[in-house]
Amino acid sequence: MTEPKWKHSILYSASIYAVLYLVHSSILHKLLLGHEKLHIKRNPVLPLRFRSDGTFKILQVADMHYANGIVTRCRDVLASEFKGCSDINTTRFVKRMIESEMPDFIAFTGDNIFGPSTSDAAESLFGAFVPAVESKLPWAAVLGNHDQESTMDREELMYFISLMDYSVSQINPSHNDLATSDIDGYGNYHLGVYGPPGSKWANSSILNLFFLDSGDRAVVQGMRTYGWIKESQLQWLVGLSEKLRGGRLEETDASSPALAFFHIPIPEVRQLSPQKIVGQFQEAVACSFINSGVLKTFLSMGDVKAFFVGHDHTNDFCGNIDGIWVCYGGGCGYHGYGKAGWPRRARVITAELGKSHRDWTGVERISTWKRLDDEELSMIDKQVLWDSGSTS
């Protein structure tokens, strides 16, 4: 006895529906980010701006080396600290820093995730930047030499980071901003910091932040070396600096000072001696043997007063090279190598405006200090990096 045709029709339709449902669900699953449905990016209040008290504070976070969260074990901690220590310790520390310092902006200077330990780069990025996203503060990142060693290349990483909530990161400047048609790397961009609300600088950038991709690794003449900032990046930076200097402060001849952020230090950092630094110099400077002229370019530009790097986790010093300061962030991440008994740390940078009897007079001083991940969140090595009234 044959089945009625209508039963076959229902079974066929049900089969088609089931297949479509599974395909649809599969596609939706791939569009889930952090186990939440896609949503429109949440943007911070922009532009970056000095507070009404004339200050602007940056938190530098270097070398988080985030991997897979609570299952990722710590490295180089005391035996008494190891049990239960994971990426979550890194997250707690960054959250404590944000709550304590209440920065206006957060700068992540590379090796945000540790690719070799990371099973899914997207998931790890979400985990790494949770404190910044939850704070709703504007934040930006550059890449280190380990970020791309997982499931995303460097371009994909920067694109993903640029789309995250409250991120002001950029993949690269638009071609309209370039003197050439191309630029090396991913994560070369500029952010301007505007004057306090209601001041004459409210619609002007009076502090410039430059972000550069220092690459990962390379082979030169058969020898492996770390990456470096390329000529195309420096050409872009020089052109940008000249363009920015076209808008000088009205009552002075001084252009707006600038700070630069990238991951791998430059070769000149090796020439600093322990007697001429503030902080600790505990490991050899791991940089490229190619000297592309970054310091020479900064000196010729005249506006870069300091640059901030990561990469060497147990170096946390600032040193002056030919009038420009270089500062390490100090290793922040618990999955990155460190030194047992030497607390993880992060750096704070503040810019302060001068003031006349009528209004603010532009950036007067740039200072920095570090905080340790100890019970007191101890502040150490506070120093002035630049003072507009100083000739040194």
Side-chain angles (χ1 to χ4, degrees), residues 38-337:
L38 281 174
H39 60 267
I40 297 173
K41 174 183 173 178
R42 299 181 179 95
N43 288 307
V45 176
L46 291 175
L48 302 180
R49 185 178 296 283
F50 278 81
R51 301 177 190 181
S52 57
D53 66 355
T55 63
F56 185 79
K57 183 184 288 188
I58 302 168
L59 170 61
Q60 181 197 1
V61 178
D63 298 275
M64 286 190 293
H65 277 239
Y66 197 94
N68 300 305
I70 198 168
V71 299
T72 300
R73 303 314 302 268
C74 297
R75 294 181 58 186
D76 298 331
V77 295
L78 297 173
S80 59
E81 299 171 325
F82 184 76
K83 184 178 180 181
C85 188
S86 70
D87 279 336
I88 305 306
N89 289 63
T90 304
T91 300
R92 289 194 191 110
F93 177 39
V94 177
K95 284 185 176 181
R96 290 180 72 203
M97 287 293 300
I98 294 171
E99 291 167 2
S100 174
E101 288 288 355
M102 295 186 292
D104 301 290
F105 174 71
I106 308 169
F108 294 92
T109 51
D111 282 0
N112 310 295
I113 63 174
F114 186 59
S117 298
T118 300
S119 54
D120 185 318
E123 289 288 341
S124 294
L125 287 171
F126 275 116
F129 295 123
V130 156
V133 171
E134 289 184 348
S135 75
K136 301 183 180 180
L137 294 169
W139 61 274
V142 292
L143 301 177
N145 54 291
H146 287 302
D147 290 283
Q148 79 291 337
E149 295 174 334
S150 180
T151 57
M152 289 184 179
D153 62 28
R154 297 178 76 80
E155 183 177 13
E156 291 168 336
L157 285 163
M158 280 309 303
Y159 184 73
F160 194 92
I161 290 170
S162 73
L163 293 177
M164 292 184 71
D165 287 345
Y166 305 105
S167 169
V168 291
S169 309
Q170 299 171 33
I171 305 169
N172 266 337
S174 67
H175 291 310
N176 293 333
D177 295 330
L178 290 169
T180 59
S181 60
D182 203 4
I183 186 170
D184 285 287
Y186 300 99
N188 304 287
Y189 54 100
H190 155 254
L191 298 172
V193 185
Y194 285 61
S199 72
K200 66 179 179 180
W201 309 119
N203 297 315
S204 302
S205 173
I206 52 177
L207 174 68
N208 294 303
L209 309 178
F210 300 140
F211 296 82
L212 296 162
D213 180 8
S214 56
D216 48 274
R217 288 186 178 271
V219 176
V220 180
Q221 298 179 345
M223 294 183 289
R224 285 174 59 82
T225 188
Y226 281 111
W228 64 92
I229 295 168
K230 307 295 196 306
E231 178 64 26
S232 64
Q233 296 167 271
L234 296 176
Q235 287 179 358
W236 162 72
L237 193 61
V238 169
L240 174 63
S241 177
E242 289 174 351
K243 181 179 178 180
L244 293 171
R245 285 201 302 270
R248 294 181 181 275
L249 303 182
E250 291 178 3
E251 295 179 357
T252 76
D253 289 328
S255 60
S256 302
L259 306 173
F261 299 85
F262 49 95
H263 182 69
I264 299 173
I266 61 175
E268 286 87 349
V269 179
R270 290 174 168 169
Q271 74 189 39
L272 289 166
S273 65
Q275 293 76 31
K276 295 184 178 180
I277 63 171
V278 177
Q280 298 186 56
F281 197 154
Q282 299 183 117
E283 63 177 298
V285 175
C287 61
S288 175
F289 59 68
I290 301 294
N291 191 329
S292 60
V294 174
L295 181 65
K296 183 179 179 181
T297 299
F298 286 168
L299 289 168
S300 70
M301 289 162 54
D303 51 356
V304 177
K305 307 307 177 185
F307 59 98
F308 301 86
V309 298
H311 193 51
D312 303 327
H313 304 184
T314 61
N315 289 338
D316 72 346
F317 63 82
C318 289
N320 191 298
I321 311 173
D322 297 335
I324 296 178
W325 284 91
V326 54
C327 292
Y328 278 98
C332 171
Y334 279 83
H335 187 52
Y337 76 85

Side-chain angles (χ1 to χ4, degrees), residues 334-354:
Y334 279 83
H335 187 52
Y337 76 85
K339 187 176 178 182
W342 196 69
R344 266 51 174 190
R345 57 204 60 212
R347 181 172 292 281
V348 178
I349 306 135
T350 61
E352 303 169 61
L353 300 180

